[in-house]
Amino acid sequence: MLQTGQHCAMLLLLLFGSGGYSYLREPMWWIGMITMIMGEVANFAAYAFAPAILVTPLGALSIIVSAVLAHFMLNERLHIFGVLGCILCVVGSTNIVLHAPKERDIESVKQVWHLATEPGFIIYSCVVLVSVLVLIFYFVPQYGKSHMLVYIGICSLMGSVTVMSVKALGIALKLTFSGANQFAYLETWCFTAIVIVCCLMQINYLNKALDTFNTAVVSPVYYVMFTTFTIIASIIMFKDWDTQNASQIATELCGFVTILSGTFLLHKTKDMGNSPSIELANLTNPNHESA
């Protein structure tokens, strides 16, 4: 339920976006934005108390909520295969929860800064920055309106860095509330600035994606890419798998693959129309042609 608010907002953004920045004049867009902020606050709290490799895949639960809301709000029918996809998402999420690594004990935001400035994560951050700049200045003008992965790629890459910074900021707040003020450190404010900049970029390009493409496509693809990049970033920065054996890691990966299978099934059946028998034949036999 952590990301339910975000997907309510995504539906409202799609309903009331009309290109450019005209959506800023729509009251319903602001309702969606407020709902999204509420979802992000819930995510923020979760990242402060649990590893990102656990919290992020649970966004699959929001895929289910998005599919159900789209069924009622956008008349995008949820068929039996969509229901099966939802079940796969739940099974995969449960698998990850049962085998997730324990949260690292951190006593100061400076420890997080040290992890963020190690060579591995510095290289990852540079790759993300270069990739985002190339997407924005080269691919967006040419392919942004025709290729969904351009906008979603920007959101996903920036999102992985955002999550790491959100986790650092969440830890700082948690420690501050417990009596150890972390806002006296420059590192805390650096993480805060990164969160603000990255979130603004994500909101901008996510809205462009929702305004241009079908939400039933954007939602699962964005989830898959965002989750994948976030898990990679978390493994590099927080070394989540260092305390786990091969069996636990393999089980988590199986859970993640199960979630991906569920999201793929939801995407595959999104356009099933009012003739279930014909659509079922097309799904099971790609060469089948109706008269």
Side-chain angles (χ1 to χ4, degrees), residues 7-281:
H7 285 273
C8 292
M10 288 171 70
L11 293 172
L12 290 170
L13 291 174
L14 180 68
L15 283 169
F16 294 95
S18 58
Y21 296 93
S22 61
Y23 56 84
L24 293 174
R25 296 191 296 271
E26 295 286 350
M28 290 300 293
W29 185 89
W30 286 104
I31 294 176
M33 180 57 60
I34 292 171
T35 310
M36 178 179 287
I37 292 172
M38 292 172 62
E40 289 295 344
V41 169
N43 273 334
F44 188 92
Y47 283 119
F49 294 94
I53 199 173
L54 166 62
V55 176
T56 307
L58 291 183
L61 300 179
S62 67
I63 297 292
I64 299 173
V65 175
S66 178
V68 173
L69 290 177
H71 176 79
F72 291 105
M73 297 178 65
L74 302 179
N75 295 320
E76 297 175 2
R77 293 186 59 189
L78 182 63
H79 294 268
I80 184 63
F81 289 104
V83 174
L84 178 59
C86 292
I87 293 173
L88 287 174
C89 289
V90 172
V91 172
S93 298
T94 303
N95 205 23
I96 290 177
V97 168
L98 293 176
H99 300 88
K102 294 182 179 180
E103 173 72 334
R104 176 191 290 263
D105 292 327
I106 295 179
E107 299 178 356
S108 171
V109 73
K110 287 190 173 184
Q111 288 180 251
V112 184
W113 183 261
H114 175 73
L115 294 172
T117 53
E118 288 187 348
F121 193 73
I122 289 293
I123 293 174
Y124 176 81
S125 299
C126 291
V127 171
V128 167
L129 179 60
V130 172
S131 300
V132 167
L133 291 176
V134 170
L135 286 171
I136 291 175
F137 293 107
Y138 179 75
F139 286 96
V140 166
Q142 298 188 49
Y143 307 107
K145 296 294 184 180
S146 58
H147 293 75
M148 174 182 59
L149 292 180
V150 175
Y151 290 142
I152 295 181
I154 296 172
C155 294
S156 301
L157 288 167
M158 296 300 294
S160 65
V161 177
T162 303
V163 168
M164 298 302 102
S165 300
V166 163
K167 184 170 180 62
L169 189 55
I171 291 172
L173 285 171
K174 181 178 69 173
L175 294 174
T176 299
F177 290 145
S178 65
N181 183 20
Q182 300 297 303
F183 286 88
Y185 301 126
L186 178 62
E187 291 84 349
T188 303
W189 295 104
C190 289
F191 284 125
T192 302
I194 293 173
V195 168
I196 293 173
V197 172
C198 291
C199 281
L200 290 175
M201 289 186 63
Q202 285 178 257
I203 290 172
N204 181 47
Y205 286 101
L206 179 58
N207 184 80
K208 289 180 182 292
L210 291 169
D211 196 32
T212 307
F213 305 100
N214 191 329
T215 184
V217 181
V218 172
S219 182
V221 173
Y222 174 55
Y223 165 75
V224 171
M225 292 183 63
F226 170 74
T227 303
T228 300
F229 285 124
T230 299
I231 289 176
I232 292 172
S234 183
I235 292 171
I236 295 173
M237 180 171 170
F238 289 98
K239 302 175 177 60
D240 293 320
W241 283 351
D242 284 4
T243 59
Q244 293 192 293
N245 56 42
S247 176
Q248 291 173 313
I249 295 174
T251 304
E252 291 173 25
L253 290 176
C254 288
F256 184 49
V257 171
T258 303
I259 294 174
L260 296 187
S261 301
T263 56
F264 171 78
L265 195 56
L266 282 168
H267 167 63
K268 186 67 176 178
T269 60
K270 68 180 178 64
D271 290 327
M272 291 181 68
N274 296 322
S275 302
S277 59
I278 294 177
E279 293 294 341
L280 179 59

Side-chain angles (χ1 to χ4, degrees), residues 272 275-290:
M272 291 181 68
S275 302
S277 59
I278 294 177
E279 293 294 341
L280 179 59
N282 288 335
L283 182 66
T284 56
N285 182 10
N287 296 322
H288 174 81
E289 294 182 0
S290 58

